Amino acid sequence: MAVWDDLVGQDRVAAQLTAAARDANALVTAAGEAAPAAEPMASSKMTHAWLFTGPPGSGRATAARAFAAALQCVSPDRALGGAPGCGFCDGCHTALVGTHADVEVVRTDMLTIGVKETRELVRRAQLSPAGGRWQVIVMEDADRLTEGAGNVLLKAVEEPAPRTVWLLCTPSLEDVLPTIRSRCRLLTLRTPPVDAVADLLVRRDGIDPELAASAARATQGHIDRARRLATDERARARRAAVLKLPLRVDDVGGCLKAAQELIDAAAEDAKQVAEEVDVKETEELRAALGAAAGTGGRLPRGTAGAMKDLQDRQKRRATRTQRDTLDLALTDLIAFYRDVLALQLGSQVALANTDVRDALERIASGSKPERTLRRIEAITACRQALDSNVAPLLAVEAMTMALRAG
């Protein structure tokens, strides 16, 4: 299985990356595993910095990790003209599973990536590969870089080490500094076809074809969300509850109650993550600091700061989890009203939420397209308000009242 097999519906991008991997392999081979000169890099399809953009669920991080694996490929077939990225050799396998010494995958469960973490990445980027062919840094959440962190990264991208490759992933060009994107080669991914996502779920995850098709259709080609919806009963129950909201905003009381339930569900998600991760992290840190046995054991003097840093990180992670859950619910609501609009306009576009067609038809027959568009705008405004750190309950209550008004 080649490293590109999980890159769904992105044939053009896969072809570009394969060509770049071929040139990267030729550069390293021609140099006898020594640092290649800058001139050959500039004239080839390979470059030192790449920017992967595309809508959520398009597979930006998947493409970046596949490219990282192809750069580390050590398959003997390369000498016979085979393309790097076989998927079976040690270089490909360890890069894909996250254990390759020269592939650093950066993802965050916090709201931002700060200066301190970025400086550590820049320091690593200056090192020569420990055993692989390239030093590859995959930043899956480059859009979460603070302005200061972006300026730190800019210096590394401007003056790269000879055998270092930066792979940055963002939803859009505007999510990174103009000075950074001007120094990267751009790759734009598209939303994968629904049928291709369903096929991937069946082929790779062993999901029942009917359930896979339903999940892919409901998420409109978002690979990660489709997998979660197909494999997690709680996710399906949560989505079903969200899709009932449009029928519950007939009066002010219903609006406020629905808003509170959305917030409570998001808080419960954050609590579940905390229960699964926070206790383990805390105990591991206490053990590393030499705390006395037991959860109430005394910490050595001078270690309280480390514990406070951990608690702060856990609090930020809970905040992001709550926001992500809310955003997911709002995305489902937008898809609901998009289907309503399709029915009202007599469009032949495939509906995403066929499992709640009765509710779609009830809302569609009881309002006009203009009201549906205003409702979609209200949900979009709520998402923007949450991004601007508006109090979640206040933002969601305003949205549900706008849905009632239409």
Side-chain angles (χ1 to χ4, degrees):
M1 182 181 74
V3 296
W4 318 109
D5 285 359
D6 287 346
L7 195 56
V8 180
Q10 312 292 347
D11 294 343
R12 179 183 58 82
V13 170
Q16 289 179 270
L17 294 176
T18 299
R22 283 184 182 275
D23 283 359
N25 175 66
L27 288 172
V28 175
T29 303
E33 301 296 331
E39 290 78 7
M41 176 82 85
S43 61
S44 77
K45 294 181 176 63
M46 180 61 185
T47 190
H48 68 281
W50 297 76
L51 183 60
F52 296 78
T53 67
S58 58
R60 300 183 303 265
T62 300
R65 289 194 299 268
F67 186 39
L71 293 176
Q72 304 294 5
C73 183
V74 293
S75 169
D77 292 343
R78 293 173 297 122
L80 304 175
C86 66
F88 295 102
C89 71
D90 184 67
C92 287
H93 176 71
T94 54
L96 289 174
V97 301
T99 59
H100 197 293
D102 295 317
V103 178
E104 179 77 7
V105 178
V106 182
R107 63 176 68 89
T108 183
D109 49 14
M110 306 299 173
L111 294 174
T112 59
I113 299 175
V115 171
K116 181 179 179 181
E117 303 97 302
T118 308
R119 281 178 177 160
E120 178 60 27
L121 289 175
V122 170
R123 183 199 64 77
R124 170 169 178 154
Q126 300 305 312
L127 302 176
S128 298
R133 302 163 66 78
W134 299 87
Q135 180 80 253
V136 185
I137 299 178
V138 180
M139 186 171 285
E140 294 187 358
D141 301 301
D143 53 306
R144 296 186 183 272
L145 287 165
T146 64
E147 184 175 353
N151 289 326
V152 171
L153 178 63
L154 174 62
K155 185 68 173 177
V157 175
E158 281 181 327
E159 301 175 4
R163 295 272 290 280
T164 294
V165 182
W166 290 89
L167 308 179
L168 311 179
C169 305
T170 68
S172 68
L173 281 174
E174 289 70 26
D175 291 318
V176 294
L177 294 175
T179 45
I180 291 179
R181 63 177 182 251
S182 67
R183 289 162 175 80
C184 297
R185 186 165 297 171
L186 174 65
L187 284 176
T188 302
L189 285 75
R190 66 188 182 103
T191 299
V194 170
D195 290 344
V197 174
D199 178 69
L200 175 67
L201 296 179
V202 173
R203 172 171 49 86
R204 186 181 62 185
D205 300 306
I207 295 170
D208 176 76
E210 184 176 347
L211 179 58
S214 175
R217 185 172 57 250
T219 57
Q220 290 297 283
H222 192 301
I223 300 172
D224 291 336
R225 285 183 56 207
R227 183 185 299 112
R228 183 181 182 190
L229 196 61
T231 58
D232 188 346
E233 182 64 35
R234 290 185 307 178
R236 293 195 290 272
R238 190 178 301 116
R239 172 178 171 272
V242 168
L243 295 183
K244 292 178 182 177
L245 185 145
L247 301 175
R248 301 173 54 202
V249 292
D250 293 334
D251 53 55
V252 174
C255 292
L256 299 181
K257 184 177 180 181
Q260 186 64 61
E261 288 177 359
L262 273 182
I263 297 298
D264 290 344
E268 182 62 26
D269 250 22
K271 182 180 178 181
Q272 289 176 356
V273 170
E275 289 175 349
E276 295 170 1
V277 180
D278 289 3
V279 173
K280 181 180 178 181
E281 283 183 344
T282 301
E283 286 307 306
E284 287 178 349
L285 180 59
R286 288 176 62 85
L289 295 175
T295 56
R298 183 183 297 275
L299 284 167
R301 295 182 62 182
T303 60
M307 290 299 299
K308 186 177 186 304
D309 287 343
L310 176 62
Q311 291 167 358
D312 289 343
R313 289 199 303 273
Q314 291 172 343
K315 183 177 180 181
R316 292 195 298 272
R317 179 169 59 209
T319 300
R320 177 178 171 181
T321 301
Q322 183 173 4
R323 288 188 183 180
D324 287 350
T325 302
L326 275 176
D327 192 68
L328 185 58
L330 298 180
T331 301
D332 287 334
L333 276 179
I334 288 178
F336 180 94
Y337 282 110
R338 170 253 191 200
D339 284 350
V340 169
L341 187 63
L343 290 175
Q344 290 172 329
L345 298 178
S347 172
Q348 298 303 310
V349 66
L351 300 181
N353 301 287
T354 55
D355 51 329
V356 291
R357 189 179 183 98
D358 289 347
L360 294 174
E361 293 177 345
R362 176 177 169 184
I363 299 294
S365 62
S367 64
K368 296 182 179 180
E370 293 82 0
R371 296 184 66 186
T372 302
L373 286 172
R374 286 196 293 269
R375 285 164 171 159
I376 292 175
E377 290 171 355
I379 301 170
T380 303
C382 181
R383 297 180 71 187
Q384 293 171 344
L386 292 172
D387 281 341
S388 302
N389 291 321
V390 173
L393 182 58
L394 182 63
V396 176
E397 285 180 343
M399 179 199 72
T400 54
M401 294 296 289
L403 294 180
R404 174 177 177 266

